[in-house]
Amino acid sequence: MNLEPILPELTLAITTIVVILLDLFIQKKVWLTVISLAGIAVATGFAVTLWGENPQTIFNNLLVIDNFAVFFKILLLVIVALVLLASRDYVSKLRRFQGEYHALVLLAAIGMMLMAAGTDLISIFVSLELSAIAFYALVGFLKDDRSTEASLKFILLGGIASAVLLFGMALTFGFTGKTQLAEIAQVIQQMSPEVLLASSGLILGLVLMIAGFGFKIAAAPFQMWVPDVYEGAPTPVTLYLSVGSKIAGFAVILRVFFSAFGSPESLSQDWGLVFAVLSAIGMTLGNIIAIHQANIKRMLAYSSIAHSGYIMIGLAAVGLTPIGDFTGQSFILFYVIAFALADLAAFIAVIVISNKLNSDLIKDYAGIGKRAPVLAAVLTLSLISLIGLPPTAGFLAKFYIFTGAAGSGLLWLVIVAVINSVISVYYYLRVVKVMWLGEPMFEGKIPSSNATKFSLAICCSGILLLGIVPVVIMQIVETAASSLSF
Amino acid sequence: MEVGLEHYLILSTVLFSIGLYGALSKRSAVVILMSIEIMLAAVTVTMVAFSRYIVPTELTGQIFTIFIIVVAAAEAAVGLAIIIAIYRRRENIDASKIDLLKW
């Protein structure tokens, strides 16, 4: 059997086992990070060689290796590497279980990479749970009151969400007789539109699947877990959860809804409208509640709910445009990269600052601009990108998504989104104001290690590069999006 | 009376609703975890019934069911471990009293 297409995942799996075993023998735990990063580098190398090849299915059509999957794999590998770099200082303070931390982070990465490649409801479900169970354990990693509470809330709500998702998958399977996305699409296309829209079981299955996946991407109204889990979890895990898990969720949604339910148009317009409504609720709820938050992790959690809403504008536009047009998909992929870079930079800066201050409260960030000018500048840049002001990546990402949606008749949604962007300026810039204009309570610089400096440099150059010369990335995302078959 | 597909579907829907009700209304974290298991059991009944009546020559639904059972076991193991970690710190697993984090 040809194992070449899943070499990235295999490499990560081997690295996971090596890290767990080495943890028993070595005293200098920094080698665990080094070995994990080496494994990720090798896996990225394998993934890059798969880019641009013809799509091929493996494991009896359970997984597909096309440009879309490879794009998300490389993006997720970069994110995992940055998460491990950023969590180095945090993890070195743990006395025990450093090996398990690295192993769980890598396991979650394998799950998310397989999610992006799944073409069968079975493989999608199993890989989704592989990443989710690793995340449940990671959120409760500190074992203190807040961390365990966050973990309990996450696993109970996550369990309900996956049961709902499975019930949706069972109904879809029952009304089409297939679990393979391509075969589901064939069965649906053979039904006449009247029969299709009258088969309420299939529609119910579709709605339940939207609810189950919506939990994963923190879409309102399935977002109740997000603020509590983000606040209680160790900050590097919060970072991983808010970027990695969300991106993998969007990869799955795009593939499932586009390749299985992408045609006929009467069906795709239905789920497009559902996503439009969810997006309007998510943006409004996230932005309005974020205004009141005193804790920066909670504020970023609500901002992440709002950004899920912005990305769902793209999903709605994909549902409402005729098939064969891939611009909507490529705009979503562009937004995903821009959001990932800005959120990574913001959270890494928060990790360093909070580590020193021992506080996540926004008022304690007063005067950070004087104590750590570089970190404050990085946080400012990432918040500006999250607002969506030029010359950052966030501006172009929002511009593309909004123009795409306006072009497919969703002008009302674009208006809601623009109003929301204006609201969001207030709470993002409040942090900036506190940092630069507030008086520091203590003196002394805030040190940051070389690992964090390096990861922050990557994120910031990415934000600026995407904002100033988007052409290169745009070509890559267009190649990735156009390989999404239906 | 012959037992057909619709009977299985009614059974599984009732089971799923009982599980959902339990998960949303019960206070003990262990009971909530049990309710989630009931929901997953309802899904497996649906899967096998559909597989038996819609595509009798294939075993897709049964295979899916095996995966669901495996994943449910893994999830229950992690869930119970988390509940034990909470119990050791607070000697209490009442979900309504676990409320440090809120807006």
Side-chain angles (χ1 to χ4, degrees):
Chain A
M1 202 175 93
N2 182 16
L3 285 180
E4 202 183 324
I6 52 155
L7 272 179
E9 286 88 346
L10 278 184
T11 317
L12 281 196
I14 293 167
T15 316
T16 311
I17 297 166
V18 169
V19 163
I20 294 180
L21 287 179
L22 267 185
D23 186 37
L24 301 173
F25 303 115
I26 55 171
Q27 295 302 318
K28 286 194 74 170
K29 302 294 186 193
V30 68
W31 283 103
L32 297 176
T33 312
V34 173
I35 290 165
S36 312
L37 287 174
I40 293 170
V42 174
T44 316
F46 284 133
V48 170
T49 59
L50 293 172
W51 173 260
E53 302 211 347
N54 286 328
Q56 49 180 327
T57 53
I58 48 172
F59 293 138
N60 215 352
N61 291 337
L62 279 179
L63 299 172
V64 66
I65 310 300
D66 53 7
N67 284 339
F68 182 79
V70 175
F71 168 81
F72 275 101
K73 282 179 187 180
I74 297 173
L75 184 60
L76 286 167
L77 282 166
V78 172
I79 289 168
V80 180
L82 291 174
V83 167
L84 282 180
L85 277 176
S87 49
R88 186 58 232 151
D89 295 338
Y90 201 89
V91 174
S92 61
K93 287 206 275 184
L94 299 175
R95 275 186 295 115
R96 297 167 67 193
F97 305 128
Q98 290 197 25
E100 283 79 354
Y101 178 85
H102 289 91
L104 284 170
V105 168
L106 292 174
L107 269 180
I110 299 172
M112 293 189 297
M113 285 161 70
L114 292 176
M115 268 163 86
T119 52
D120 190 297
L121 294 182
I122 299 178
S123 57
I124 288 171
F125 168 69
V126 172
S127 48
L128 196 143
E129 286 296 313
L130 174 59
S131 72
I133 290 176
F135 272 122
Y136 300 148
L138 276 174
V139 168
F141 209 81
L142 293 182
K143 287 195 176 176
D144 61 8
D145 279 344
R146 291 174 166 271
S147 178
T148 44
E149 178 178 330
S151 181
L152 182 72
K153 285 179 175 169
F154 193 20
I155 196 167
L156 293 181
L157 293 173
I160 297 173
S162 55
V164 170
L165 172 70
L166 272 176
F167 205 65
M169 286 181 172
L171 286 174
T172 312
F173 165 65
F175 281 80
T176 57
K178 305 286 177 195
T179 55
Q180 196 85 51
L181 297 184
E183 290 174 359
I184 292 175
Q186 273 179 6
V187 174
I188 287 179
Q189 277 160 29
Q190 279 160 10
M191 294 179 179
S192 70
E194 296 81 41
V195 177
L196 183 66
L197 292 180
S199 64
S200 45
L202 186 63
I203 305 292
L204 180 63
L206 207 60
V207 171
L208 291 180
M209 274 166 69
I210 291 178
F213 287 132
F215 176 87
K216 197 80 191 157
I217 57 167
F222 318 109
Q223 90 302 354
M224 299 82 71
W225 59 281
V226 176
D228 288 357
V229 171
Y230 280 24
E231 187 189 340
T235 318
V237 176
T238 308
L239 157 69
Y240 196 17
L241 203 56
S242 94
V243 182
S245 164
K246 177 170 289 186
I247 286 179
F250 273 109
V252 169
I253 290 185
L254 260 182
R255 195 188 285 284
V256 169
F257 284 91
F258 189 68
S259 46
F261 307 108
S263 66
E265 247 174 66
S266 52
L267 186 66
S268 77
Q269 282 186 347
D270 275 4
W271 58 255
L273 276 180
V274 172
F275 278 119
V277 172
L278 289 184
S279 131
I281 301 174
M283 289 185 293
T284 317
L285 194 108
N287 281 320
I288 288 179
I289 302 182
I291 292 175
H292 301 289
Q293 299 307 318
N295 182 314
I296 193 155
K297 276 164 84 179
R298 264 185 118 72
M299 187 207 91
L300 286 172
Y302 281 108
S303 119
S304 136
I305 294 171
H307 278 275
S308 275
Y310 295 134
I311 306 179
M312 277 191 291
I313 299 176
L315 284 179
V318 167
L320 292 177
T321 40
I323 298 142
D325 184 3
F326 289 99
T327 44
Q329 283 87 329
S330 42
F331 292 161
I332 294 178
L333 301 194
F334 189 88
Y335 198 104
V336 158
I337 304 181
F339 169 73
L341 287 170
D343 219 37
L344 277 166
F347 266 113
I348 295 173
V350 167
I351 290 173
V352 179
I353 296 172
S354 298
N355 219 359
K356 178 75 178 176
L357 298 179
N358 272 326
S359 160
D360 289 328
L361 296 180
I362 294 175
K363 66 176 164 57
D364 292 340
Y365 276 54
I368 293 294
K370 297 190 181 75
R371 295 178 66 186
V374 179
L375 278 176
V378 168
L379 193 51
T380 309
L381 177 70
S382 58
L383 292 177
I384 284 177
S385 183
L386 286 174
I387 295 172
L389 294 178
T392 57
F395 167 69
L396 279 178
K398 269 191 183 165
F399 178 74
Y400 286 144
I401 286 253
F402 291 178
T403 44
S408 39
L410 281 168
L411 201 58
W412 63 274
L413 194 58
V414 176
I415 293 169
V416 174
V418 171
I419 294 172
N420 268 298
S421 301
V422 176
I423 297 175
S424 75
V425 173
Y426 170 73
Y427 63 83
Y428 287 128
L429 286 187
R430 188 178 51 148
V431 180
V432 175
K433 178 188 151 233
V434 168
M435 279 196 308
W436 292 102
L437 299 179
E439 282 303 311
M441 284 183 289
F442 303 100
E443 289 303 316
K445 295 281 177 214
I446 294 175
S448 50
S449 67
N450 286 332
T452 37
K453 276 180 195 152
F454 179 65
S455 46
L456 283 175
I458 293 180
C459 297
C460 290
S461 48
I463 293 174
L464 289 174
L465 210 64
L466 249 71
I468 297 165
V469 272
V471 188
V472 185
I473 299 292
M474 213 52 205
Q475 273 169 355
I476 294 176
V477 294
E478 269 166 11
T479 321
S482 58
S483 79
L484 251 188
S485 57
F486 72 90
Chain B
M1 186 187 76
E2 192 159 325
V3 177
L5 177 58
E6 58 268 41
H7 297 96
Y8 287 106
L9 291 186
I10 291 167
L11 169 72
S12 71
T13 312
V14 169
L15 262 183
F16 192 83
S17 314
I18 292 173
L20 191 58
Y21 173 75
L24 297 179
S25 66
K26 292 295 166 188
R27 287 184 157 189
S28 163
V30 177
V31 178
I32 298 176
L33 211 58
M34 284 160 63
S35 307
I36 294 172
E37 297 296 314
I38 295 178
M39 289 165 82
L40 292 175
V43 175
T44 58
V45 173
T46 325
M47 283 279 181
V48 175
F50 273 137
S51 186
R52 175 72 182 76
Y53 285 93
I54 305 283
V55 278
T57 53
E58 293 171 38
L59 290 173
T60 333
Q62 282 88 332
I63 293 169
F64 209 147
T65 300
I66 291 173
F67 277 107
I68 295 172
I69 292 169
V70 171
V71 168
E75 212 171 74
V78 176
L80 287 174
I82 292 167
I83 291 173
I84 289 173
I86 288 198
Y87 185 76
R88 284 203 179 129
R89 293 194 67 90
R90 312 190 187 193
E91 309 223 319
N92 187 1
I93 50 163
D94 186 337
S96 61
K97 295 213 176 76
I98 302 176
D99 56 357
L100 275 177
L101 305 165
K102 56 188 167 191
W103 69 292

